[in-house]
Amino acid sequence: MTTPTDVPEERAAGRGSWLREHSELGVCVLLLALGVLVLTDALTMDVDITQRGPVGPRTVPVVVGIGLLVIAALLAVDVLRGGRGEAEGGEDVDLSEPADWRTVLLLSGIFLGAAALIEPAGFPVAGALLFWGAAFALGSRRLDRDPLIAAVLSLITYVVFDKLLGVPLPGGPLMGVL
């Protein structure tokens, strides 16, 4: 026989297990929020000057925003009908091992450092540090070739985007050289 004080605990336990069983709904909420953000930003964009035809700068963000909302709704329906995501099944993944937080933190620091350096140092320098740091964080210890490969990758990326595609990237102190 249950006492009146046991009922709230059972209700909380039931609610907790329901949330645990339907945890994918958190992804639905994230996709919904992202879709609303993209649509809001796209629909409030000032495009009078850049509009040259029926397809303008709003088209892609609106399509992406609507796509995010549709995916969020379809995923929510699937989860509420009992659908579950599959556990990671890669052959090189050992799910019994803990996460490698050192690598995650190193990569996060490298990305933040590159983002902070891109304006004052320019993309070629920040990109080279990003590529080299990512290789180091992921386990490469070839100090003789990794910086050279990172510098070449960064310069090729800069030239392709800045010169060939017309996407302006900050050159930093190397602007006159490149």
Side-chain angles (χ1 to χ4, degrees):
M1 187 160 122
T2 61
T3 62
T5 59
D6 292 339
V7 175
E9 291 174 10
E10 289 175 11
R11 223 179 271 155
R15 191 177 323 130
S17 70
W18 187 89
L19 286 174
R20 205 172 299 114
E21 291 174 8
H22 297 88
S23 61
E24 290 94 347
L25 289 175
V27 176
C28 298
V29 171
L30 178 68
L31 289 172
L32 178 74
L34 193 59
V36 168
L37 177 71
V38 168
L39 278 175
T40 303
D41 196 35
L43 295 175
T44 59
M45 185 186 316
D46 184 24
V47 294
D48 294 338
I49 297 172
T50 57
Q51 184 81 26
R52 291 190 181 152
V55 177
R58 283 187 184 160
T59 305
V60 171
V62 167
V63 168
V64 169
I66 291 171
L68 285 168
L69 294 178
V70 168
I71 289 172
L74 291 174
L75 180 59
V77 167
D78 181 52
V79 169
L80 293 174
R81 285 185 175 173
R84 304 260 326 159
E86 245 182 73
E88 182 69 38
E91 62 186 51
D92 61 341
V93 177
D94 186 7
L95 296 176
S96 65
E97 291 292 319
D100 185 8
W101 288 107
R102 178 185 177 271
T103 303
V104 171
L105 292 174
L106 270 172
L107 283 173
S108 298
I110 290 162
F111 286 133
L112 290 173
L117 285 175
I118 198 165
E119 194 60 43
F123 183 84
V125 173
L129 290 174
L130 173 70
F131 292 139
W132 183 37
F136 182 83
L138 294 173
S140 178
R141 299 296 185 258
R142 297 287 308 262
L143 298 178
D144 56 336
R145 70 170 185 181
D146 287 348
L148 181 63
I149 292 171
V152 169
L153 268 173
S154 182
L155 285 174
I156 289 172
T157 305
Y158 176 77
V159 168
V160 166
F161 277 89
D162 194 64
K163 307 298 183 200
L164 298 178
L165 296 175
V167 176
L169 295 174
L174 298 176
M175 186 61 98
V177 177
L178 300 174

